[in-house]
């Protein structure tokens, strides 16, 4: 090995074991992470948000009459050291560069950068690899699906579906952070910019919920951050990829949905780690208005 080679950063190798979080080094009886978190006013978690479907109530798409909000909650160390690297290598392998945004709608319809597939098999292999990255990435999933058909005749029919979903998701996020003893620290919630009017309305509702207008009647220590589409946030891209499979699992439960089978193990659930993949309905996954079969919370 030359002196020049020794000065290079090691390349990330995406193997099944390569995306698993490593233990923090111990410093004076405490892990490095614990030492940092003791002094930090910020929580150990970062949240990325995206949606699927239209939140407007004026017209309802018969083919997809849902609005889905999805929150991906990452441990910051795992996110920064493992998830981002895995997605970057995936892009280099398939596109030769990392200046591409992974967008579910464009991948599905093979638009723009995603017209690279020479066969169905090649596209399936691409999707399988992307699904594997999602499967091996550690994150907690919190989501709300609004059935706009049912909402029309509901007491909340005049409410904005986005705002209804946001309230549920932020309440559940707080409960998760309580479990992790991070609920007294500031957690940032990152959303993609949609337009000044929409962003202003969302920020107003976000702050109203955090100021105590929530089911818990509690101040929520969250701060919203808007990200430009050009930022190419790995967390926002993953949130975009998971939102539609969640909606399809509700709209067409009988349809094969491999992506959702993977996501089942990500949802925040009632029984903790022992119940991963089960007991998430009404907890990590809220359907509104509630179906009669859903367990009361």
């Amino acid at each position: 090995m030359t002196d020049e080679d020794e000065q290079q950063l090691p390349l990330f190798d995406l193997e099944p074991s390569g995306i698993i979080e490593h233990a923090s080094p111990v410093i004076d009886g405490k892990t490095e992470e614990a030492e940092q978190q003791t002094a930090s006013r910020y929580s150990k978690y970062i949240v990325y948000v995206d949606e699927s479907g239209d939140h407007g109530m004026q017209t309802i798409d018969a083919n997809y009459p849902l609005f889905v909000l999805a929150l991906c909650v990452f441990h910051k160390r795992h996110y920064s050291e493992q998830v981002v690297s895995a997605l970057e290598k995936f892009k280099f392998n398939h596109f030769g560069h990392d200046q591409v945004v992974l967008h579910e709608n464009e991948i599905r319809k093979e638009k723009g950068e995603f017209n690279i597939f020479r066969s169905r098999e090649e596209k399936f292999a691409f999707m399988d690899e992307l699904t594997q990255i999602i499967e091996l990435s550690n994150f907690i999933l919190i989501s709300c699906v609004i059935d706009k058909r049912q909402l029309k005749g509901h007491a909340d029919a005049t409410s904005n579906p986005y705002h209804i979903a946001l309230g549920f998701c932020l309440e559940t996020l707080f409960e998760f952070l309580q479990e992790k003893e991070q609920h007294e620290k500031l957690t940032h919630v990152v959303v993609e910019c949609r337009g000044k009017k929409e962003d202003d309305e969302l920020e107003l509702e976000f702050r109203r919920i955090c100021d105590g207008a929530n089911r818990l009647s509690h101040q929520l220590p969250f701060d919203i951050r808007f990200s430009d589409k050009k930022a190419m946030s790995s967390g926002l891209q993953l949130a975009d990829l998971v939102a539609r499979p969640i909606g399809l699992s509700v709209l067409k439960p009988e349809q094969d949905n491999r992506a959702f089978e993977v996501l089942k193990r990500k949802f925040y659930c009632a029984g903790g780690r022992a119940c991963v993949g089960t007991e998430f309905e009404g907890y990590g996954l809220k359907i509104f208005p509630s179906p009669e079969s859903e367990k009361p919370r």
Side-chain angles (χ1 to χ4, degrees):
M1 181 181 291
T2 66
D3 291 341
E4 183 178 354
D5 289 332
E6 291 177 351
Q7 293 173 3
Q8 299 298 311
L9 291 172
L11 294 177
F12 183 82
D13 185 18
L14 178 58
E15 296 293 341
S17 61
I19 200 164
I20 295 178
E21 193 169 353
H22 300 290
S24 300
V26 176
I27 302 175
D28 296 331
K30 288 186 177 181
T31 66
E32 178 184 10
E33 179 182 53
E35 192 76 25
Q36 292 171 347
Q37 289 300 322
T38 300
S40 176
R41 58 185 289 257
Y42 304 116
S43 84
K44 295 188 291 186
Y45 296 90
I46 182 74
V47 184
Y48 295 95
V49 182
D50 211 334
E51 72 266 14
S52 173
D54 178 14
H55 67 267
M57 290 295 293
Q58 289 74 26
T59 58
I60 298 178
D61 182 354
N63 294 319
Y64 196 80
L66 308 177
F67 175 77
V68 182
L69 194 67
L71 275 63
C72 294
V73 187
F74 292 92
H75 188 284
K76 290 175 180 174
R77 180 163 189 161
H78 176 73
Y79 175 78
S80 61
E81 296 183 358
Q82 306 290 339
V83 177
V84 174
S85 300
L87 279 181
E88 290 295 290
K89 183 180 180 185
F90 176 82
K91 291 180 183 181
F92 285 131
N93 285 345
H94 288 279
F95 302 98
H97 61 85
D98 62 350
Q99 299 302 299
V100 57
V101 177
L102 298 171
H103 193 270
E104 187 275 339
N105 181 271
E106 293 182 353
I107 295 173
R108 178 163 41 90
K109 297 182 178 180
E110 300 183 22
K111 292 182 177 179
E113 296 270 9
F114 304 100
N115 64 353
I116 59 173
F117 308 115
R118 291 167 291 187
S119 65
R120 293 293 89 193
E121 291 73 21
E122 190 171 304
K123 183 177 181 180
F124 291 152
F126 176 95
M127 294 304 299
D128 283 346
E129 188 177 340
L130 193 51
T131 299
Q132 183 189 42
I133 291 175
I134 293 172
E135 185 173 12
L136 294 175
S137 298
N138 295 329
F139 61 91
I140 298 297
L141 187 54
I142 297 170
S143 182
C144 182
V145 179
I146 306 292
D147 188 330
K148 297 196 294 182
R149 299 166 299 184
Q150 301 300 321
L151 185 62
K152 276 222 163 190
H154 194 271
D156 290 312
T158 59
S159 299
N160 184 325
Y162 196 124
H163 296 173
I164 295 172
L166 182 67
F168 165 75
C169 290
L170 291 182
E171 292 161 2
T172 305
L173 174 62
F174 182 75
E175 292 172 337
F176 166 74
L177 292 171
Q178 278 184 311
E179 288 187 12
K180 299 298 183 181
E181 298 182 350
Q182 294 292 301
H183 59 290
E184 295 183 353
K185 296 190 174 187
L186 183 64
T187 298
H188 290 97
V189 178
V190 184
V191 302
E192 192 172 73
C193 295
R194 295 178 297 159
K196 188 177 188 313
K197 181 176 181 293
E198 293 86 352
D199 294 348
D200 288 347
E201 289 177 354
L202 176 57
E203 182 170 9
L204 184 65
E205 181 64 16
F206 183 95
R207 302 211 180 279
R208 188 184 74 84
I209 294 169
C210 290
D211 284 344
N214 55 69
R215 176 178 53 85
L216 307 172
S217 299
H218 202 292
Q219 296 273 329
L220 306 180
F222 306 145
D223 190 21
I224 191 168
R225 282 289 178 267
F226 291 91
S227 175
D228 190 282
K229 295 178 187 293
K230 296 178 182 178
M232 293 193 294
S233 162
S234 296
L236 285 178
Q237 289 172 77
L238 282 178
D240 173 89
L241 292 170
V242 306
R244 184 176 172 84
I246 295 170
L248 290 176
S249 76
V250 174
L251 183 63
K252 300 176 180 179
E254 73 290 344
Q255 181 175 293
D256 183 51
N257 190 337
R258 188 195 162 199
F260 186 72
E261 291 303 312
V262 169
L263 296 177
K264 278 183 179 180
R265 298 183 60 80
K266 307 294 186 184
F267 282 108
Y268 178 66
C269 61
R273 293 186 64 85
C275 297
V276 165
T278 64
E279 298 188 29
F280 54 80
E281 296 91 347
Y283 287 82
L285 175 60
K286 174 73 173 180
I287 303 171
F288 188 85
S290 300
E292 293 182 3
S293 61
E294 185 174 290
K295 297 177 182 179
R297 192 150 176 199

